Amino acid sequence: MSAVTYGEYLEGKRIAVLLSGGVDSSVVVSELAGLGYHPDCFYIRIGPEEKEEWDCNSEEDVEMATAVAAKYGCKLQVVDCHKEYWSQVTRYTMEKVKAGLTPNPDVMCNRLIKFGAFDEKAGHDYDLIATGHYACTEWIDGRKWLTTSPDPVKDQTDFLAQLFPWQLRKALFPIGHLQKHEVRAIAEREHLVNARRKDSQGICFLGNIDYNEYVRRYLGEQTGDIIEVETGRKIGQHRGLWFHTIGQRKGLGLGGGPWFVVRKDVEHNILYVSHGYDPQDAYKSDFPIHAFDFLTEGVSTLPEKVTFKIRHTPDYHKATISSLGDGRFMVHSDDPIHGVAPGQFCVVYDAAHHKCYGSGEICWQ
C-alpha cells in the first residue's frame, strides 16, 4: 500500500504496534506518526526462563522501545507472553525435532504469539496490529492477500505464511514496501536511538545461544549410528537425531568429507549420510505437503503453476502442484531441490511469486 492508501485505510482504526527495540519496528512507529497517528506500542516479552543462563538482551530492547515510543508521544506497554511461548512454541519445536522433523519456531511464533497470544491479552482491543516485517498486503477482488516485499533478500512472507486468515485481516506492515537501506535511512533521518543497531539473528529470543544447546536442554542426547547410505558402512556416531537436519553439510564431526545428511531412521535412531560434493540423494523433485493453511479468507484452492520456498532465501522455485485431498498436495518442482526435509514449511506463491497462498508442512513420502 502507498502512503495515500495507508492514510485512507487507517482512518478511524485503532492501531497497536509490536515494538521490539529493533530498527524495523521503530521505523514503523515513525512512519505511522508521519501520517498523523500515535499508535499504542507493545513490547512482547518472550524471553527464556533463567535470565542468568539465557541472556536475551531484553532489558536493552525495552530501553530502545521506550525511547522510540516516547519520541513520538506513544504509550508503551510490556506484555508478558513468556509462558505462552514456552508452552506452545517450545513444545511445538521439541515435539517436531524429537520425531525427526525440521521445525521452524519463528514461523510458529508469529502465528501463536505475535498475532495469537498477544491478541488474546491486548490486541483484541485494536483493529490492526502493525509489525516491522518486510511484507505487504493488498486487497485484490475484495480479499486481503499477503504479498511479497520489493526487497527479495529481506522479504519475510515465508515467516508469515502460517497466519490464520483472521490474523492476516488485522496485520499491517508499514515498512513492507521499503528496502532495508531505505529503512536505515529513515532511522538516521529521524535520529532514532537504534538507527545503527544490528539486526537480530537466529530464533527470536535466543540471541547468541546456540540452537543445539537450546534443543539439548530439553531433549538431552541419544547416541546412535551414522551410516553411509551408499555402502551401509557405519562411519561414526551421532549424539541425537534432533541435532541434524536433511541436507546438513557441516557439524557432523566426520573426517574425509564433505558429508551430507540424506535421511533419518527415527525408529532405529540411525543417521544416514552420503559422501561427495553433490550427492544425488540430497535432492528431490517431488514431495508431499500436508495440513496446508490458506492465508486469504475465501481462498481454498491452489493454481496448477506455482512458485515456492522451503527455506528463507531470496530464491523461488517453479513447480506444478496437484491436490491429494484433505489439505494435502504433491509438489512437482521443475528442478531438483537440495535438502527437502519433513517438518519444513513449503510456502506457496503464484507463478509470479507475488501473492502468497499460504504454507503446508513437508511430510514423509
Side-chain angles (χ1 to χ4, degrees), residues 208-364:
N208 295 323
I209 300 298
D210 181 72
Y211 176 72
N212 283 345
E213 289 301 320
Y214 167 57
V215 174
R216 184 178 285 107
R217 174 190 176 99
Y218 289 91
L219 298 181
E221 297 184 354
Q222 186 178 28
T223 58
D225 293 339
I226 301 177
I227 303 294
E228 184 178 19
V229 69
E230 292 88 351
T231 65
R233 179 172 60 98
K234 177 181 174 181
I235 57 173
Q237 280 198 318
H238 63 81
R239 295 185 177 182
L241 291 179
W242 38 78
F243 298 124
H244 305 286
T245 186
I246 306 299
Q248 179 182 337
R249 308 178 188 211
K250 297 179 180 179
L252 292 170
L254 301 172
W259 296 93
F260 295 80
V261 175
V262 295
R263 193 167 73 245
K264 299 179 186 180
D265 182 339
V266 178
E267 182 180 356
H268 299 99
N269 195 28
I270 297 173
L271 187 70
Y272 287 95
V273 300
S274 183
H275 186 258
Y277 284 92
D278 206 18
Q280 194 61 38
D281 285 341
Y283 289 81
K284 282 188 178 181
S285 295
D286 305 284
F287 56 89
I289 59 178
H290 72 140
F292 194 91
D293 283 297
F294 287 91
L295 280 162
T296 298
E297 191 171 37
V299 175
S300 58
T301 59
L302 294 174
E304 182 182 6
K305 297 288 186 179
V306 300
T307 55
F308 72 93
K309 290 182 179 183
I310 63 168
R311 56 180 62 90
H312 185 59
T313 70
D315 303 316
Y316 298 82
H317 305 286
K318 295 180 180 180
T320 57
I321 197 161
S322 55
S323 175
L324 301 174
D326 299 324
R328 296 177 298 120
F329 296 90
M330 182 64 74
V331 178
H332 309 281
S333 177
D334 287 9
D335 303 303
I337 306 300
H338 183 270
V340 178
Q344 290 173 317
F345 289 112
C346 176
V347 183
V348 178
Y349 303 80
D350 62 7
H353 49 79
H354 177 63
K355 295 190 299 185
C356 181
Y357 279 87
S359 62
E361 186 182 72
I362 298 171
C363 51
W364 306 106

Side-chain angles (χ1 to χ4, degrees), residues 187-203:
E188 292 277 6
R189 183 193 73 206
E190 292 291 311
H191 303 291
L192 296 183
V193 65
N194 50 14
R196 299 186 181 183
R197 195 180 189 199
K198 291 183 179 180
D199 291 344
S200 60
Q201 302 291 329
I203 296 176

Side-chain angles (χ1 to χ4, degrees), residues 14 16 18 40-42 44 77-81 116-129 170:
R14 295 197 66 198
L18 301 188
D40 292 340
C41 299
F42 296 87
I44 299 179
Q77 179 181 339
V78 176
V79 177
D80 191 347
C81 291
F118 169 74
D119 194 81
E120 293 177 7
K121 293 194 170 194
H124 59 271
D125 288 331
Y126 296 85
D127 303 302
L128 297 169
I129 298 175
K170 294 187 69 169

